[in-house]
Amino acid sequence: MARRKLIYEGKAKILYEGPEPGTVVQYFKDDATAFNAEKKDVIEGKGVLNNRLSEFFMSGLNQIGVPTHFIRRLNMREQLVRSVEIIPLEVVVRNVAAGSLSKRLGIEEGTQLPRPIIEFYYKDDSLGDPLVTEEHIIAFGWAVQQDLDDMVALALRVNDFLSGVMLGVGIRLVDFKIEIGRVWDNDFQRLIVADEISPDSCRLWDIATGRKLDKDVFRRDLGDLADAYTEVARRLGVMPKSGGGTTGPKLVH
Ligand code: TMP
């Protein structure tokens, strides 16, 4: 069998050339890393869960008109996505103080923020993905002002969608990170949500108990990461079964 051409291997995913021009196959690994890969482990089943969860969130976004790179899931660990030119920024949206915001500004974790706060981090592992301002982004040419406006609009729409979906299953969306890519439709350039949306890139707290259901379980040694992600998948009705189907009557097509 012909081997697919590898495009890029990251910490949690591998990208292969897709079957048609303009497509990429995104493979979800079981590897978990934190603190710029200083802490690492292999969490059996994490890739399968994140493939399903990212499919669930991205296809929901597509359905409400928020463009994403997601085309379709191929199998337990792979999905077909549009090829994009990734803007080298991590776009973080925060609803509740936690993590680096709490540390940097001395705001107690769990404090509700007065409005969603958007931050940009420059994607560069050798620098530890530093926080940057719009001035840096424009001066160094990572994006232009119109891109920034479009990124903020996309990030807020993703926040509204994800917050609502999570609230519906008793989970508080504390914060999340997205990556955004450029695509060209003929001569027209636009920005779409890319990479993944999963408990690796969100903070999710159970509303009733405060239990953490995201990668902080791994970062802070709070228990079994796969159990936490399985709970998110179960509540959303996207729990993978051995037969490859989904459980849950909640999804309305
Ligand atoms: P932070 O509080 O550590 O800055 O994280 C904010 C959000 O971004 C949180 O939901 C976790 C996510 N995140 C990533 O997806 N990748 C990263 O490398 C980091 C540092 C955070």
Side-chain angles (χ1 to χ4, degrees), residues 90 92 94 98-100 121 175-177 200-203 219:
E90 301 204 334
V92 169
R94 302 177 184 274
S100 69
Y121 293 83
D175 56 31
F176 66 93
K177 180 265 299 186
D200 268 11
S201 53
C202 300
R203 283 199 174 88
R219 293 189 191 97

Side-chain angles (χ1 to χ4, degrees), residues 113-134:
L113 298 169
R115 43 167 272 187
I117 293 176
I118 300 181
E119 296 171 339
F120 298 99
Y121 293 83
Y122 179 51
K123 265 172 72 70
D124 185 328
D125 282 344
S126 66
L127 300 173
D129 298 344
L131 179 68
V132 291
T133 68
E134 297 196 2

Side-chain angles (χ1 to χ4, degrees), residues 24 67 106 197 234:
V24 168
I197 300 177
R234 189 191 65 75

Side-chain angles (χ1 to χ4, degrees), residues 130-173:
L131 179 68
V132 291
T133 68
E134 297 196 2
E135 287 282 298
H136 297 123
I137 294 167
I138 288 170
F140 297 125
W142 300 320
V144 299
Q145 185 63 52
Q146 182 65 53
D147 296 330
L148 279 171
D149 295 346
D150 292 349
M151 285 194 284
V152 167
L154 273 177
L156 290 175
R157 291 189 75 193
V158 173
N159 187 43
D160 286 345
F161 172 76
L162 284 183
S163 297
V165 168
M166 299 317 298
L167 185 62
V169 296
I171 294 173
R172 192 176 189 197
L173 179 67

